[in-house]
Amino acid sequence: MRLSLAIISTLLLAGCLGANTKPLRIETATWHEEASFGGVTCVVDGTYPVVFETKSDQNISLMNNLIQKHTLDAYTDEIQDCPKMYLELVETGALLTETNNFGFQIGFNEQGLLSFTHHSSHYLEGTAHPANSLGALTIDTVSGKIY
């Protein structure tokens, strides 16, 4: 039993020592976009993480593409179609604004893993309160695998 514990401990320690312990350099990028049509204005405004520096065995482009696909695209993809969705709700001459704010918070950035939460608050003018959402993304910074 002692021998198997020693072997397991050695393997775990070797795995931890081999892991990337240097945090990635991550900066905050901002996004602002508006689309208007027939008195309806839709606004998307927020921040998302961008990886700027990694070790040589990590793929910056792959990580930024994954981050963009799972965060930024989720909040901005349909902005151009947004005003037309609400057009029948607006009386002639009236104005309506929909606002979607989003952001992120890094939770873990070491040992070859990047994990963060992303959140959004969606508000349609005249409603009682915003609709909020929260998501999370964890990326293996070497392989690009998403957990």
Side-chain angles (χ1 to χ4, degrees):
M1 180 72 166
R2 289 180 133 187
L3 182 59
S4 60
L5 284 176
I7 292 172
I8 291 171
S9 297
T10 303
L11 289 172
L12 288 173
L13 183 58
C16 289
L17 292 175
N20 172 21
T21 56
K22 179 182 176 188
L24 303 173
R25 190 178 116 224
I26 297 174
E27 295 187 11
T28 300
T30 59
W31 185 273
H32 179 85
E33 187 173 355
E34 292 185 23
S36 295
F37 183 78
V40 178
T41 301
C42 297
V43 179
V44 176
D45 196 13
T47 60
Y48 62 98
V50 176
V51 178
F52 277 93
E53 183 180 310
T54 66
K55 288 190 160 196
S56 59
D57 59 349
Q58 299 165 321
N59 188 335
I60 293 173
S61 178
L62 173 63
M63 280 187 279
N64 283 329
N65 286 340
L66 289 170
I67 290 168
Q68 183 172 344
K69 177 182 174 188
H70 289 275
T71 59
L72 182 62
D73 289 353
Y75 302 123
T76 63
D77 267 354
E78 298 177 3
I79 182 79
Q80 296 304 320
D81 297 328
C82 173
K84 293 176 186 168
M85 290 186 337
Y86 295 114
L87 211 53
E88 63 186 47
L89 299 175
V90 179
E91 295 178 9
T92 306
L95 302 175
L96 179 68
T97 302
E98 178 208 60
T99 306
N100 189 4
N101 297 305
F102 63 93
F104 73 97
Q105 182 175 1
I106 301 292
F108 191 77
N109 178 16
E110 54 187 88
Q111 299 177 348
L113 293 173
L114 172 61
S115 183
F116 63 92
T117 57
H118 51 98
H119 51 87
S120 91
S121 180
H122 178 95
Y123 181 70
L124 182 61
E125 187 178 301
T127 59
H129 54 81
N132 299 312
S133 66
L134 178 67
L137 186 65
T138 299
I139 304 171
D140 180 316
T141 62
V142 176
S143 71
K145 181 178 178 182
I146 295 177
Y147 297 99

